Amino acid sequence: MQKNCKNCELNFTITQEDQVFYNKISVPAPTFCHDCRLRRRFIFRNERILYRRNCDLCKKSMVTVYHKDAPYTVYCQKCWWSDKWDGIEYGQDYDFEKPFFEQFKKLMMVAPRMNLLKSSDNVNCEYANFVAHSKDCYFIFNSGGGGGNENCYFGWAIDDCKDSFDINSSKQCIECYDTLNSNRSNKIFFSKNTTDTLSSNFMYDCRNCIDCIGCVELRNKSYNILNKQYTKEEYLKKKKELDLGSYKNTIKFKEKVYELYIKYPKKYANIVKSENIIGDNILNSKNCFYAFDSYKAEDCKYILRVINSRNSYDMCSNMDSELCIDGLAVLRSSLIKFSTTAIDCMNSSYVDSCFNCSNIFGSISLRKKEYCILNKQYTKEEYEELVAKIIKHMGG
């Protein structure tokens, strides 16, 4: 089915498979194309620009993604998780004389927001956002993994890394610098798409290499420089002659590596141990389309940085979830629709900054609640009846 995007006015396609998914989770087909839907989601996310302002509850200075002039109530981590307030206090009745989003915006202006999104077990990570299980990290974003990061600076989408600087989209790396899309590697510098590699510099699309410099598309090699094999003694002598501790020499050598790099044919995408994929930087995934920087994803479409999740569309920074659509930072949740920062939640729509909730609609900054609409508490029967009326009122 061809549709005309109501935002950019370009045509886009909704396949029969797409329609089956939309019917499965009871949502109408989108009116925006997938590019415009992505832009719309990003409007709600400031990930990397940090400010100083005072907590609106304890008045102490804090680092936050909200400028001091932003029209929101913002609490520090300690205050947000405290028992000094309850999101139900900001509940409001639904007014069928006004559009839903007008009422949702009104709630958005008053319900307290968290200064940064971080798990409670982070240690000394004041200048980091969307980070979990990490210690002594500075300016890392959208990162964590199962074990977290330690002593990492300036990174994005890094998981289970340690003592590394200026790395992006990398997993299980130790003592690495200026690397991109590198996995399970130790002491690699200035490298890209490098896996299971040790003590090597300027490596591109290499695997299982040790003590190599300036190499492209090598497999299971040691003591190579610019893809030329040396003995160990020759390699150490040549390495000393290169003197890559000098900035001037490093820049000159980098140019030589690039000349070698452009001579080699390039793989169409960085897709590893995956099947039926359209996208890039995908690992251990299956049946994913328009998918990027994701791993352990299955039956997903239009995704970015999705980890261990299934049957979801239009998701960014999604982890351990399923049957979700059009969301940001949805973790350990299911049946979440059109939401941002829904963690340990179930069967909820249009939620923002909610934790351990189920069956809530149009709610912000709730914890351990169910059957709420615009932060107001209802019985199960009242909730289900009112939600049906609201969806009809919205034109759904």
Side-chain angles (χ1 to χ4, degrees):
M1 176 172 61
Q2 291 290 318
K3 297 192 74 172
N4 187 256
C5 176
K6 288 190 175 182
N7 188 51
C8 69
E9 299 184 350
L10 295 177
N11 289 333
F12 68 100
T13 302
I14 296 177
T15 67
Q16 184 176 359
E17 180 185 42
D18 295 341
Q19 193 59 60
V20 169
F21 175 78
Y22 298 137
N23 291 338
K24 183 177 182 180
I25 62 172
S26 303
V27 300
T31 58
F32 281 23
C33 67
H34 70 268
D35 282 340
C36 288
R37 298 197 299 268
L38 178 63
R39 294 187 187 101
R40 182 175 61 189
R41 284 196 298 280
F42 281 167
I43 290 172
F44 293 91
R45 183 177 177 108
N46 169 19
E47 185 177 284
R48 308 181 216 185
I49 302 175
L50 305 180
Y51 306 96
R52 276 265 176 204
R53 67 178 280 173
N54 292 334
C55 170
D56 285 316
L57 187 58
C58 71
K59 309 304 179 183
K60 293 181 180 178
S61 178
M62 63 183 179
V63 177
T64 177
V65 292
Y66 300 101
H67 190 272
K68 63 182 178 62
D69 296 328
Y72 303 114
T73 300
V74 184
Y75 288 175
C76 66
Q77 295 274 318
K78 183 176 181 180
C79 288
W80 199 92
W81 286 108
S82 73
D83 294 328
K84 297 178 182 178
W85 66 281
D86 190 334
I88 292 293
E89 300 168 8
Y90 304 92
Q92 58 191 48
D93 293 318
Y94 191 83
D95 186 351
F96 285 94
E97 298 298 319
K98 297 179 181 179
F100 165 77
F101 289 108
E102 180 180 322
Q103 300 174 69
F104 190 62
K105 182 180 179 180
K106 179 181 176 182
L107 178 62
M108 189 179 291
M109 295 300 104
V110 296
R113 313 182 74 79
M114 198 185 302
N115 64 322
L116 299 169
L117 181 62
K118 298 188 288 188
S119 64
S120 59
D121 59 353
N122 284 291
V123 177
N124 192 27
C125 297
E126 183 180 9
Y127 295 90
N129 192 32
F130 288 95
V131 170
H133 321 309
S134 296
K135 179 181 179 181
D136 298 329
C137 292
Y138 178 80
F139 266 59
I140 67 169
F141 304 93
N142 204 346
S143 301
N149 303 290
E150 184 173 350
N151 195 33
C152 293
Y153 284 46
F154 312 112
W156 179 83
I158 59 174
D159 298 325
D160 306 310
C161 295
K162 186 176 180 180
D163 299 324
S164 298
F165 285 51
D166 290 312
I167 65 173
N168 292 301
S169 299
S170 298
K171 294 177 281 297
Q172 298 176 23
C173 289
I174 300 175
E175 296 184 19
C176 295
Y177 174 73
D178 200 355
T179 62
L180 176 65
N181 300 330
S182 297
N183 302 311
R184 300 187 303 276
S185 295
N186 192 346
K187 295 184 179 179
I188 60 168
F189 308 143
F190 311 108
S191 300
K192 177 182 178 182
N193 294 344
T194 301
T195 301
D196 296 318
T197 294
L198 176 65
S199 300
S200 301
N201 302 340
F202 299 103
M203 306 292 283
Y204 294 88
D205 301 309
C206 295
R207 292 176 177 274
N208 301 305
C209 295
I210 301 175
D211 291 309
C212 293
I213 302 174
C215 295
V216 179
E217 297 187 13
L218 286 190
R219 301 291 185 270
N220 308 311
K221 298 291 184 180
S222 296
Y223 308 124
N224 274 248
I225 299 177
L226 295 173
N227 281 41
K228 181 179 178 180
Q229 183 69 62
Y230 293 87
T231 65
K232 180 178 180 180
E233 292 74 18
E234 291 171 335
Y235 170 83
L236 293 175
K237 181 180 178 182
K238 183 68 174 176
K239 180 180 179 180
K240 185 175 181 180
E241 291 173 357
L242 289 173
D243 186 20
L244 295 179
S246 162
Y247 177 77
K248 182 179 179 180
N249 292 343
T250 296
I251 295 300
K252 287 183 178 180
F253 185 76
K254 191 174 184 179
E255 293 173 354
K256 291 183 180 180
V257 178
Y258 182 72
E259 291 173 1
L260 177 66
Y261 175 73
I262 61 177
K263 292 179 181 179
Y264 278 76
K266 305 297 181 289
K267 187 180 178 182
Y268 71 102
N270 185 34
I271 298 174
V272 179
K273 296 180 180 178
S274 301
E275 59 178 293
N276 198 23
I277 303 292
I278 295 176
D280 196 13
N281 295 333
I282 305 297
L283 174 66
N284 294 336
S285 298
K286 180 179 179 182
N287 301 331
C288 294
F289 303 94
Y290 300 97
F292 301 91
D293 292 296
S294 300
Y295 58 95
K296 295 182 181 179
E298 185 173 343
D299 299 320
C300 294
K301 200 167 185 178
Y302 310 122
I303 61 171
L304 172 65
R305 181 74 170 144
V306 166
I307 302 169
N308 195 34
S309 297
R310 304 172 62 248
N311 296 308
S312 296
Y313 274 39
D314 292 298
M315 301 299 296
C316 301
S317 301
N318 187 34
M319 181 182 292
D320 301 326
S321 300
E322 63 177 346
L323 294 173
C324 298
I325 186 169
D326 210 342
L328 281 164
V330 176
L331 312 178
R332 301 183 300 275
S333 300
S334 63
L335 273 175
I336 304 300
K337 308 169 188 178
F338 316 110
S339 300
T340 177
T341 314
I343 299 178
D344 296 309
C345 293
M346 181 180 293
N347 195 27
S348 299
S349 303
Y350 302 104
V351 303
D352 183 359
S353 303
C354 291
F355 295 75
N356 301 100
C357 296
S358 63
N359 298 290
I360 59 175
F361 190 98
S363 294
I364 299 173
S365 297
L366 292 183
R367 299 166 294 176
K368 298 181 180 180
K369 305 294 183 185
E370 61 179 345
Y371 305 122
C372 294
I373 301 172
L374 294 177
N375 283 36
K376 182 177 178 179
Q377 184 71 65
Y378 293 89
T379 66
K380 180 177 182 294
E381 294 74 17
E382 291 170 337
Y383 171 85
E384 292 174 347
E385 181 180 355
L386 184 53
V387 164
K389 290 181 180 179
I390 293 172
I391 291 175
K392 185 177 181 180
H393 178 239
M394 295 172 67

